[in-house]
């Protein structure tokens, strides 16, 4: 079973300099790949909402972010 879900915000746990990403950057799950090991397509955007990277990552590369509900 997938640990993360579509449109969930996650934190990157390791730097990916080849994509211009640092550990701690936040992204959004845009696709869950159910194969083993569990993989996710994660979109990272800049402050203007422009996509800066779209990367397939494994579960151990990510940490869930608590989101506030209003």
């Amino acid at each position: 079973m997938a640990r993360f879900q579509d449109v969930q915000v996650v934190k990157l746990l390791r730097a990916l300099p080849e994509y211009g990403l640092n550990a701690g950057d936040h992204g959004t799950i845009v696709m869950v790949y159910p194969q083993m090991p569990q993989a996710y397509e994660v979109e990272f955007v800049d402050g203007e909402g422009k996509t800066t990277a779209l990367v397939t990552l494994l579960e151990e590369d990510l940490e869930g972010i608590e989101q506030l509900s209003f």
Side-chain angles (χ1 to χ4, degrees), residues 1-68:
M1 181 163 173
R3 179 173 161 202
F4 303 114
Q5 303 173 11
D6 285 337
V7 302
Q8 183 176 354
V9 177
V10 293
K11 179 171 71 172
L12 185 61
L13 295 178
R14 65 182 177 98
L16 297 171
E18 64 272 27
Y19 295 102
L21 299 170
N22 298 307
D25 285 351
H26 292 183
T28 302
I29 303 284
V30 295
M31 175 82 62
V32 177
Y33 298 112
Q35 72 271 12
M36 294 300 287
Q38 192 71 51
Y40 304 89
E41 196 75 19
V42 182
E43 180 181 32
F44 296 87
V45 298
D46 63 17
E48 297 175 1
K50 179 182 172 189
T51 300
T52 58
L54 188 62
V55 186
T56 303
L57 298 165
L58 298 177
E59 200 166 270
E60 62 261 17
D61 297 324
L62 304 169
E63 179 178 289
I65 300 292
E66 292 289 327
Q67 293 183 291
L68 300 175

